């Protein structure tokens, strides 16, 4: 199994005050300064200063139309992430297709386009940057702040730092890269606001199969580990391109829907028994593409787990749009690391 760098989803109290306020607004959807102070542990005065800076830079917007009396008796004007001013660019490079997307600062995908690419060829970044420019051209007045690049790097034989530098050269934006499976886990975590305490195991299955783990430590959350299950031994006699027999991906490819569901359920139970997470989420078109077999997956998972207590298992809500969503989630990284600096850096480049 191969480890990959972690993706930080939520910085919690280790973030700057601006980052903490922005994260609280994102998590709540909309919140007053009092509510942000209570949730973050920051003082109301600190939250007030950070909120003013974020509103001034166009990252948050006030909603006086929704004002209500707060806990201190003062009217609380809620703030929310400004979805209309800034954009992110997310690029997902797969084995056969590449997806370019633009998203807003909540991680929502606004527009995307997917193109075929030759199997085994190096990514055509010039072409992808023209596609990104086309998507941005449809949104005059909105400014891109950061970009994300996601791929199953090792499976494709690509070096993420090289593509990161090249994409930065083409876009002049801060760029963050993410492993395919970790990025999908990050997207799933970001868009699901409840039921993600402690450790969440994500098992992904489509062309590639693997798992990753998100750990929430009192509000600081990152995807700490990811591993490929492509060559996970199943005991079957199916030959794999790696030269061995019984590797999971090669075996799954030979099975009908029901047997595939059963095997994936058993593998999920095995990984769950190894890691002992608080909840399990199954992700990818191998699950979402065949909804009729989801009961078979859960039955095999329950039957195969050697541990006594039940760990809840659920399926992702995302379908074929998961590539665009995961890339736009990774693109949020530079924004939530240092929101004010990202806006000021972009203003400098545009002014130059
Ligand atoms: Zn193999």
């Amino acid at each position: 199994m191969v480890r990959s760098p972690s993706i930080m989803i939520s910085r919690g109290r280790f973030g700057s005050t601006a980052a903490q306020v922005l994260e609280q607004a994102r998590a709540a959807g909309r919140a007053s300064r009092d509510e942000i102070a209570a949730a973050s542990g920051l003082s109301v005065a600190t939250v007030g200063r950070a909120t003013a800076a974020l509103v001034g830079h166009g990252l948050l917007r006030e909603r006086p139309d929704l004002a209500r009396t707060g806990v201190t008796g003062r009217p609380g004007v809620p703030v929310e992430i400004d979805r209309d001013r800034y954009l992110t660019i997310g690029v997902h490079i797969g084995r056969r297709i590449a997806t370019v997307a633009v998203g807003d600062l909540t991680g929502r995908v606004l527009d995307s386009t997917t193109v075929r690419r030759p199997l085994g060829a190096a990514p055509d970044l010039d072409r992808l940057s023209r596609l990104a420019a086309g998507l941005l051209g449809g949104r005059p007045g909105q400014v891109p702040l950061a970009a994300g690049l996601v791929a199953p790097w090792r499976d494709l034989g690509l070096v993420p730092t090289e593509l990161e530098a090249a994409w930065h050269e083409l876009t002049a934006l801060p760029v963050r890269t993410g492993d395919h499976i970790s990025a999908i886990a990050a997207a799933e975590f970001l868009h699901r606001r409840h039921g993600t305490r402690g450790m969440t195991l994500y098992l992904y299955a489509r062309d590639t199969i693997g798992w990753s783990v998100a750990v929430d430590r009192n509000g600081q959350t990152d995807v700490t580990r990811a591993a490929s299950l492509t060559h996970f031994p199943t005991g079957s006699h199916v030959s794999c391109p790696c030269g061995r027999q019984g590797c999971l991906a090669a075996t799954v490819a030979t099975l009908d829907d029901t047997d595939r569901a059963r095997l994936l359920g058993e593998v999920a139970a095995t990984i769950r028994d190894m890691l002992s997470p608080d909840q399990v989420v199954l992700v990818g078109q191998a699950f979402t593409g065949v909804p009729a077999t989801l009961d078979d997956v859960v039955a095999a998972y329950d039957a195969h787990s050697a541990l006594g207590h039940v760990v809840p298992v659920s399926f992702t809500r995302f379908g074929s749009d998961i590539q665009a969503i995961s890339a736009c989630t990774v693109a949020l990284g530079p924004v939530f690391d240092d929101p004010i600096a990202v806006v000021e850096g972009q203003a400098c480049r545009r002014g130059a």
Side-chain angles (χ1 to χ4, degrees):
M1 291 186 185
V2 172
R3 290 184 64 170
S4 62
S6 66
I7 297 175
M8 185 160 284
I9 304 170
S10 166
R11 287 136 198 88
R13 61 192 174 83
F14 296 103
S16 69
T17 53
Q20 289 186 58
V21 169
L22 197 63
E23 280 188 357
Q24 292 294 341
R26 176 184 67 185
R30 190 176 296 135
S32 71
R33 290 159 177 77
D34 287 347
E35 289 165 343
I36 291 171
S40 65
L42 297 169
S43 73
V44 174
T46 300
V47 170
R49 282 193 297 274
T51 302
L54 290 164
V55 170
H57 283 76
L59 292 157
L60 288 178
R61 62 185 169 201
E62 298 191 303
R63 292 295 302 271
D65 52 315
L66 300 171
R68 57 198 184 283
T69 304
V71 290
T72 58
R74 293 177 290 126
V77 176
V79 291
E80 63 186 14
I81 287 189
D82 190 332
R83 297 178 160 206
D84 299 328
R85 189 139 162 195
Y86 297 117
L87 300 169
T88 61
I89 301 173
V91 175
H92 185 285
I93 300 163
R95 291 173 67 81
R96 296 181 182 82
I97 57 172
T99 303
V100 181
V102 291
D104 68 21
L105 296 189
T106 69
R108 192 174 54 152
V109 173
L110 302 172
D111 206 355
S112 71
T113 183
T114 296
V115 292
R116 295 196 154 276
R117 66 185 214 89
L119 197 63
D124 185 347
L125 293 186
D126 287 324
R127 182 187 185 200
L128 296 177
S129 74
R130 287 195 298 276
L131 292 170
L135 294 177
L136 293 173
R139 303 188 163 272
Q142 291 181 280
V143 178
L145 279 187
L149 275 179
V150 172
W153 301 108
R154 199 168 287 261
D155 287 356
L156 299 185
L158 299 172
V159 180
T161 48
E162 291 176 8
L163 276 91
E164 180 181 323
W167 193 243
H168 172 70
E169 192 73 21
L170 281 165
T171 62
L173 295 173
V175 179
R176 190 65 47 85
T177 60
D179 166 76
H180 169 63
I181 291 169
S182 298
I184 285 173
E188 172 64 26
F189 190 98
L190 195 75
H191 288 269
R192 182 189 295 233
R193 290 191 186 132
H194 305 290
T196 49
R197 302 300 296 176
M199 183 199 291
T200 307
L201 166 65
Y202 297 91
L203 184 81
Y204 175 85
R206 194 197 184 195
D207 292 344
T208 56
I209 306 175
W211 58 264
S212 64
V213 168
V215 180
D216 180 349
R217 298 182 198 82
N218 298 320
Q220 189 207 7
T221 304
D222 46 11
V223 179
T224 53
R225 286 182 290 175
S228 170
L229 291 169
T230 301
H231 304 288
F232 186 78
T234 66
S236 83
H237 298 291
V238 175
S239 294
C240 177
C242 76
R244 284 171 288 186
Q245 281 194 337
C247 294
L248 180 60
T251 303
V252 160
T254 67
L255 300 177
D256 64 25
D257 286 351
T258 304
D259 285 341
R260 184 191 311 119
R262 187 175 46 75
L263 179 56
L264 291 173
E266 290 176 2
V267 169
T270 300
I271 305 298
R272 176 256 151 160
D273 287 357
M274 287 196 294
L275 299 173
S276 194
D278 296 296
Q279 53 269 326
V280 177
V281 181
L282 304 180
V283 190
Q285 282 96 326
F287 301 110
T288 56
V290 273
T293 66
L294 296 184
D295 287 345
D296 297 326
V297 175
V298 174
Y301 169 86
D302 286 342
H304 201 73
S305 179
L307 297 181
H309 63 288
V310 175
V311 169
V313 59
S314 58
F315 296 90
T316 182
R317 297 168 302 149
F318 302 130
S320 58
D321 50 353
I322 187 70
Q323 282 78 12
I325 293 169
S326 64
C328 285
T329 297
V330 167
L332 290 174
V335 180
F336 281 83
D337 272 351
D338 199 341
I340 303 292
V342 164
V343 171
E344 290 180 345
Q346 182 60 10
C348 281
R349 282 191 295 278
R350 289 165 66 80

